[in-house]
Amino acid sequence: MEKIKMTTPLVEMDGDEMTRILWQMIKDELLLPFIDLRTEYYDLGLKHRDETNDQVTYESAHANKRYGVAVKCATITPNAARVEEYDLKEMWKSPNGTIRAILDGTVFRAPIVVKGIEPCVKNWKKPITIARHAYGDVYKASEIRVPGPGKAELVYTAEDGTEIREMIAAFKGPGVLQGMHNLDKSIESFARSCFNYALDQKQDLWFSTKDTISKKYDHTFKDIFQEIYEKEYKQRFEEAGITYFYTLIDDAVARIMKSEGGMIWACKNYDGDVMSDMISSAFGSLAMMTSVLVSPVGNFEYEAAHGTVQRHYYKHLKGEETSTNSVATIFAWTGALRKRGELDGLKDLMSFADKLEKATIQTIEEGKMTKDLALITTIENPTVLNSKDFILAIRENLEKMM
Ligand code: NAP
Ligand code: MG
């Protein structure tokens, strides 16, 4: 059989621990036998990040901007324990944070729906995608533990020295204070990423904030979305037969619970953090989620939503068998390959991505799965496979489709 051709390389960002092991297995068993795989390889494994003073992370993000599509393996975000474990020169920043800052995007996470892994919410028939704004708010806030009586004000000083002051509270005793911010530019790119993604997926877009209470902060988010929608997207949404819908976050939560699913739900940074964990656990597990970072100019970085599965890696190092779920990592590859195919007009590559996803889902629906899924499936007597055998079972199904 002739291998499927590629014309532009994917930016390949390798990673750490158990997911690095899965990464190689996926390439060896599911990609290289079928595709003339072209990638520009960046080793984001912690050791190599340390050797290059994290330059490799920056270079990989800039390559993503040049080529448009990247696929990323999970990586360690170092903490004190990792600094010791890897004898690091520095506690390097989160690679995801670095890449996000360079691409300036929004993260979209959607559950991978499989028969036999049923959502806890009975009426959810279609996946719900969370679009999480990845800049500012409480994640970039300043805080004060107020020791006792005193006055707290919000002060903005313009470059010419003029001030705007707003009274926060007159403290009669101890308390807490927090100051947070966001930027029009970041909110605008968040909005455009969401509108573009909705058009790409042909799904309705919902957006929710608490604008009735936060009349300036959250209201600005609402206004920016509305303005960009009217000016740039309304017509395209109508042509695509999809809708944009704004509502209060509490109303959105109530409606989502009663819905059939199938929409993209745009959330501010904190809301998106919380709601994506709710959605993923209600649909099954983090290993059954797709995750893609979309930049406002249309660069894509596909990844798994989970981490490097450290506990399994240590078992692997001791020579013990692991049963680690590779679905999210496989779907990172298929997402990237399909997007590359779409941009380069390579139908065979797109169709290969579809087949690999189908083969993966079919394998699980036949009752062959990793341990994490076997614990939650409604399929009776599932066959629990180890990490490698699960990938080999997918290969068997894939070969039948090719
Ligand atoms: P994790 O790697 O997501 O794993 C947490 C637990 O979830 C695992 O111990 C395992 O449970 C289960 N799990 C996650 N993915 C699984 C899979 N594919 N198959 C089967 N079980 C899976 O999170 P962590 O242990 O908190 O973090 C480990 C490292 O990952 C950290 O260094 C962190 O910095 C990094 N991280 C990276 C990313 C990223 O690059 N996108 C995201 C998050 C964390 P059991 O042990 O019970 O089997
Ligand atoms: Mg979280």
Side-chain angles (χ1 to χ4, degrees):
M1 194 195 71
E2 211 183 315
K3 290 189 188 180
I4 295 162
K5 292 270 177 301
M6 293 179 66
T7 49
T8 316
L10 279 178
V11 177
E12 176 182 354
M13 304 168 172
D14 206 347
D16 288 300
E17 298 195 312
M18 199 59 210
T19 40
R20 189 182 179 98
I21 307 288
L22 298 178
W23 194 259
Q24 195 59 47
M25 286 181 192
I26 291 167
K27 283 174 69 179
D28 289 343
E29 301 297 336
L30 301 177
L31 303 175
L32 291 168
F34 308 98
I35 309 175
D36 215 354
L37 189 67
R38 293 185 59 186
T39 73
E40 192 164 296
Y41 180 84
Y42 292 86
D43 183 0
L44 268 53
L46 186 50
K47 192 166 158 283
H48 193 237
R49 272 183 274 151
D50 194 50
E51 283 162 8
T52 62
N53 297 327
D54 209 22
Q55 271 313 302
V56 65
T57 309
Y58 290 83
E59 281 164 17
S60 71
H62 286 290
N64 195 351
K65 279 183 121 170
R66 264 196 322 278
Y67 289 109
V69 188
V71 55
K72 181 180 171 290
C73 180
T75 46
I76 293 169
T77 297
N79 53 16
R82 299 298 200 164
V83 171
E84 200 172 316
E85 182 184 351
Y86 284 81
D87 192 19
L88 300 179
K89 294 182 223 163
E90 245 179 70
M91 199 186 291
W92 305 109
K93 284 195 223 155
S94 149
N96 294 319
T98 301
I99 295 166
R100 246 174 249 160
I102 293 171
L103 293 185
D104 179 23
T106 303
V107 178
F108 296 88
R109 291 200 166 159
I112 299 161
V113 178
V114 175
K115 280 193 217 90
I117 314 289
E118 307 300 333
C120 312
V121 182
K122 288 195 302 289
N123 43 287
W124 286 358
K125 306 282 182 240
K126 293 180 247 170
I128 296 165
T129 301
I130 296 283
R132 173 184 169 189
H133 186 207
Y135 178 82
D137 300 352
V138 71
Y139 301 86
K140 249 187 177 331
S142 303
E143 302 189 323
I144 297 174
R145 175 75 174 101
V146 175
K151 186 173 75 171
E153 284 180 295
L154 210 51
V155 184
Y156 160 78
T157 314
E159 278 178 346
D160 70 1
T162 51
E163 282 183 357
I164 304 175
R165 280 172 182 269
E166 187 72 38
M167 179 70 171
I168 300 172
F171 284 89
K172 296 209 166 65
V176 284
L177 253 179
Q178 183 181 68
M180 61 183 192
H181 80 284
N182 221 300
L183 306 170
D184 281 17
K185 188 168 173 279
S186 177
I187 303 166
E188 286 161 12
S189 69
F190 171 41
R192 289 200 177 90
S193 300
C194 291
F195 291 128
N196 287 337
Y197 195 74
L199 284 168
D200 192 61
Q201 298 292 303
K202 299 211 169 33
Q203 285 184 328
D204 291 345
L205 176 68
W206 293 21
F207 180 43
S208 59
T209 72
K210 193 72 180 172
D211 67 290
T212 48
I213 301 297
S214 170
K215 291 186 193 317
K216 289 197 177 122
Y217 201 110
D218 280 18
H219 215 293
T220 299
F221 278 76
K222 177 184 175 181
D223 291 343
I224 288 176
F225 264 68
Q226 194 61 37
E227 209 180 296
I228 291 180
Y229 176 68
E230 302 281 345
K231 266 201 207 132
E232 302 171 30
Y233 291 94
K234 192 162 189 261
Q235 199 183 341
R236 281 193 275 163
F237 266 53
E238 283 167 7
E239 281 162 14
I242 56 173
T243 56
Y244 167 62
F245 165 64
Y246 175 85
T247 189
L248 264 185
I249 180 118
D250 11 2
D251 182 50
V253 168
R255 285 173 186 250
I256 289 276
M257 294 310 290
K258 303 243 168 195
S259 79
E260 272 200 356
M263 71 289 282
I264 296 159
W265 181 11
C267 292
K268 287 177 60 199
N269 210 347
Y270 173 80
D271 300 341
D273 185 354
V274 177
M275 292 306 162
S276 65
D277 278 17
M278 183 193 76
I279 298 283
S280 69
S281 61
F283 270 100
S285 99
L286 263 191
M288 296 297 286
M289 293 279 278
T290 62
S291 180
V292 56
L293 172 70
V294 182
S295 88
V297 296
N299 295 314
F300 295 79
E301 183 245 310
Y302 293 84
E303 55 172 15
H306 58 77
T308 59
V309 213
Q310 183 181 16
R311 204 181 63 81
H312 296 206
Y313 181 59
Y314 288 145
K315 278 178 72 180
H316 171 84
L317 287 182
K318 281 193 270 173
E320 290 172 30
E321 195 166 81
T322 59
S323 181
T324 314
N325 189 334
S326 47
V327 172
T329 308
I330 293 170
F331 274 64
W333 276 101
T334 53
L337 289 168
R338 185 186 295 104
K339 180 54 75 180
R340 197 64 271 168
E342 190 187 308
L343 295 174
D344 295 344
L346 303 172
K347 289 233 164 59
D348 288 350
L349 194 60
M350 293 171 75
S351 134
F352 173 79
D354 293 344
K355 283 178 188 152
L356 178 49
E357 288 182 1
K358 266 199 203 117
T360 304
I361 289 171
Q362 192 188 323
T363 304
I364 298 168
E365 291 181 347
E366 286 167 357
K368 295 175 231 162
M369 59 192 78
T370 46
K371 195 172 157 197
D372 56 316
L373 296 184
L375 291 171
I376 57 170
T377 185
T378 53
I379 297 173
E380 280 175 35
N381 306 317
T383 309
V384 181
L385 298 176
N386 66 35
S387 307
K388 180 77 179 267
D389 286 344
F390 177 63
I391 287 172
L392 291 177
I394 295 171
R395 177 167 177 174
E396 217 172 282
N397 280 332
L398 178 63
E399 272 171 354
K400 284 180 216 150
M401 293 177 187
M402 295 302 292

